[in-house]
Amino acid sequence: MLGFRVRVGTRGEPGPIPRWLAAGTAVPVVDERYAGWLLAGVGPASPRTADGVTVLLAGELYHRDALRAALGESTGVVTDDAELLLACWLKYGHAGLRLCNGRFAAVVVDADSVVIATDHAGSVPVYLRREAGAVHVATEAKALAGGRPGNALPGTEPVPATPGVLRMRAGSALTLRPSGPIGVAGWVRTWTPPVHRLAILPGQAVRQVADVLEAAVHTRMAGSVTVVLSGGIDSSSVAALASRAGSRLTTVSLGTDVGDEFAAARVVAEHVGSDHREFRCRGEELVRQLPWAVAAAEIADAKVLEYLLPLVVLYRMLPPEGRLLTGYGADIPLGGMHRDTTRLASLDGTIAADMSGFDGLNELSPVLSTLAGHWTTHPFWDRDVLDLLTALEPGLKRRDGRDKWVLREAIRDLLPEATVRRPKLGVHEGSGTTGIWTRLLLAHGVLAADVAAVKSAMVAAIHRRVVGAGEHPDSVSFDEVLAAVLGSVRRCRHRPFQACLTSVQRGES
């Protein structure tokens, strides 16, 4: 199942089909304590029920063999991940959620409670809107937009420009009491990023990273597999391990007329023997698909959207063919984007800040790819991989003048030496996304010092339309939004430029 939108607390009709961007089949569902819609596409398209407990699961679980071993005989008739989560709940209750390493959002309906849960990384976002007698829960914020503001809920934060809609914190579970006036029974953490650091021998660290990453890739190998390949160490590691798992592998790369990483990706593709494909689009066409990225990620952070936009464009160009694996996310626990940070104390502080601030950025949201009918998964944000990479002391991440040293050493025997030593390059850098957008703004008379602020104002304006108002991204023109932002600024030119932009960003002009 790809997603859901359910009303918890009152029985009734499912209501109209939600405004989803993810592509799938809407399936109505009605029970004594909830009603709504499921979005079929991956996994079961119906609830799983046993012993008075019902589970709705959007997404999937990993390390299934380990879960089955922990559950013992109770998994004898389990056939899918929703039933596996149900078995965890029946044996452990809330503690079962702390066992689950996966990419999922879930609703668990028990005898006297309804529990809403996210995976450790919140990689399948969960949104809520509270009203008298009910709580609405959905995997896309736009599916809840347009309602009246309600009371806050513990463990949630407001979604920008979407009144009344709350986003649930990653790695947590919220318990509601649906009998009578709906109430909150509690909120608990099921995972937090490690704050300690491991001082272990370099050779031992290299072996542990190799083992845990290989296991993460192996658990994600199901059916036809495609790896998004840039030729950098992150995506190349995933491609090499996927190839070693024995599957016939497809790799894909994206480039523009401004930049590409095709040569580096071809080296890896030839080395691992994949069926490699290259996709190219004009740089300005790529940037003009910004409304799609905003609608999928449902965020208003222009910098993060620059990272995500090339991926959204690639996913929209790909023909549907199984699941996609990416190397996305390795930079956060390994500090890969902080190439100029040389002091280990500063590097570790930056990693700690990034790990405490990833929540809500939706960089791993499945909607980025399910909008085009693909299911993505990210081995570097497997819970076991994330636990280890984050906890390693910074001298294993920056060593001998090389970034991500421990990863490069862990995968050295599986890749060409040129790939192992290749400097870090972000997907937005390789495709030229950042520079293309900047040049478009400069061509419209925006001063270089104001580019970042104009980008933020544009994103905020798009977010209000595609998330807050639920407009389809094809109906929102990049050029018209830019013109509107600049026009609003000119109309308030009696005020300082930055003050005007702030007003525009807030929707006040």
Side-chain angles (χ1 to χ4, degrees):
M1 184 164 67
L2 296 175
F4 51 73
R5 183 205 189 279
V6 294
R7 182 183 67 252
V8 176
T10 58
R11 184 177 182 178
E13 294 300 317
I17 296 177
R19 292 178 292 184
W20 276 316
L21 190 63
T25 303
V27 179
V29 60
V30 177
D31 190 76
E32 290 293 333
R33 285 164 289 178
Y34 66 89
W37 293 88
L38 313 180
L39 186 63
V42 173
S46 61
R48 293 294 186 256
T49 301
D51 297 340
V53 178
T54 298
V55 166
L56 307 178
L57 178 70
E60 59 187 0
L61 303 180
Y62 305 121
H63 301 276
R64 298 175 184 91
D65 291 343
L67 276 176
R68 290 175 183 272
L71 293 168
E73 294 181 358
S74 60
T75 62
V77 295
V78 167
T79 60
D80 56 50
D81 288 351
E83 290 184 350
L84 192 55
L85 178 58
L86 176 58
C88 283
W89 182 268
L90 292 174
K91 182 169 182 176
Y92 296 104
H94 281 82
L97 297 170
R98 293 191 171 100
L99 285 176
C100 294
N101 181 356
R103 174 165 169 68
F104 68 90
V107 176
V108 181
V109 184
D110 207 336
D112 59 351
S113 66
V114 175
V115 179
I116 303 156
T118 69
D119 65 57
H120 64 284
S123 67
V124 180
V126 176
Y127 301 96
L128 306 100
R129 179 166 56 80
R130 190 174 189 176
E131 63 180 32
V135 172
H136 298 258
V137 188
T139 50
E140 292 188 45
K142 63 184 71 65
L144 301 180
R148 296 178 179 177
N151 296 329
L153 290 165
T156 65
E157 296 179 344
V159 176
T162 316
V165 180
L166 306 168
R167 181 190 56 80
M168 194 166 168
R169 298 295 302 274
S172 69
L174 176 67
T175 302
L176 305 175
R177 301 290 186 201
S179 56
I182 194 164
V184 178
W187 175 79
V188 298
R189 280 285 194 184
T190 55
W191 182 83
T192 56
V195 296
H196 68 284
R197 296 295 181 260
L198 299 172
I200 57 179
L201 294 174
Q204 180 184 358
V206 167
R207 288 190 295 273
Q208 288 187 17
V209 169
D211 289 345
V212 74
L213 185 57
E214 182 170 23
V217 171
H218 182 77
T219 61
R220 287 160 171 77
M221 300 293 291
S224 174
V225 172
T226 298
V227 175
V228 179
L229 179 63
S230 68
I233 189 62
D234 306 336
S235 62
S236 299
S237 298
V238 173
L241 291 169
S243 176
R244 191 159 84 165
S247 174
R248 177 60 181 167
L249 191 65
T250 299
T251 52
V252 294
S253 298
L254 174 71
T256 70
D257 54 340
V258 173
D260 64 62
E261 298 177 85
F262 288 163
R266 287 175 201 146
V267 169
V268 177
E270 291 173 5
H271 186 81
V272 302
S274 65
D275 175 15
H276 187 61
R277 305 175 189 178
E278 296 173 350
F279 297 82
R280 189 184 292 277
C281 70
R282 291 184 61 248
E284 291 190 9
E285 292 176 357
L286 183 149
V287 172
R288 286 190 169 94
Q289 293 190 50
L290 180 63
W292 278 93
V294 177
E298 300 187 311
I299 60 173
D301 188 312
K303 183 165 294 227
V304 173
L305 286 162
E306 287 181 341
Y307 304 157
L308 301 178
L309 181 52
L311 295 174
V312 171
V313 172
L314 175 60
Y315 298 151
R316 295 190 69 210
M317 296 177 76
L318 290 177
E321 45 186 28
R323 62 176 44 219
L324 301 173
L325 272 65
T326 85
Y328 198 90
D331 287 322
I332 298 177
L334 289 171
M337 291 302 293
H338 306 288
R339 300 186 284 267
D340 298 329
T341 304
T342 56
R343 292 184 62 248
L344 294 182
S346 298
L347 178 64
D348 192 65
T350 300
I351 291 171
D354 287 348
M355 286 303 303
S356 66
F358 75 85
D359 196 7
L361 297 179
N362 291 357
E363 293 182 76
L364 307 180
S365 172
V367 185
L368 297 167
S369 60
T370 55
L371 63 83
H374 310 289
W375 180 257
T376 47
T377 181
H378 315 282
F380 280 103
W381 273 65
D382 178 274
R383 190 183 62 186
D384 292 348
V385 173
L386 205 56
D387 280 342
L388 177 61
L389 294 185
T390 305
L392 290 177
E393 58 96 356
L396 294 167
K397 302 173 186 182
R398 177 69 50 77
R399 190 178 183 90
D400 300 331
R402 297 167 61 199
D403 63 355
K404 295 192 278 195
W405 177 87
V406 69
L407 173 62
R408 295 178 189 276
E409 291 300 307
I411 207 70
R412 172 178 292 282
D413 292 342
L414 299 182
L415 289 170
E417 182 65 18
T419 302
V420 173
R421 291 189 170 275
R422 185 175 182 238
K424 167 66 189 174
L425 193 65
V427 63
H428 61 300
E429 297 170 308
S431 61
T433 302
T434 300
I436 297 164
W437 190 359
T438 296
R439 282 192 290 277
L440 280 172
L441 299 186
L442 295 175
H444 280 78
V446 177
L447 298 178
D450 299 324
V451 163
V454 172
K455 287 181 179 180
S456 294
M458 289 184 66
V459 167
I462 294 171
H463 188 282
R464 284 192 293 273
R465 293 179 61 178
V466 298
V467 180
E471 292 186 49
H472 193 276
D474 274 342
S475 69
V476 180
S477 164
F478 175 97
D479 295 292
E480 290 176 3
V481 169
L482 174 57
V485 167
L486 296 180
S488 296
V489 169
R490 294 186 187 103
R491 285 193 294 273
C492 69
R493 59 190 172 191
H494 59 283
R495 300 165 57 194
F497 185 80
Q498 289 294 331
C500 291
L501 278 176
T502 300
S503 296
V504 173
Q505 190 170 345
R506 293 173 177 169
E508 298 170 353
S509 298

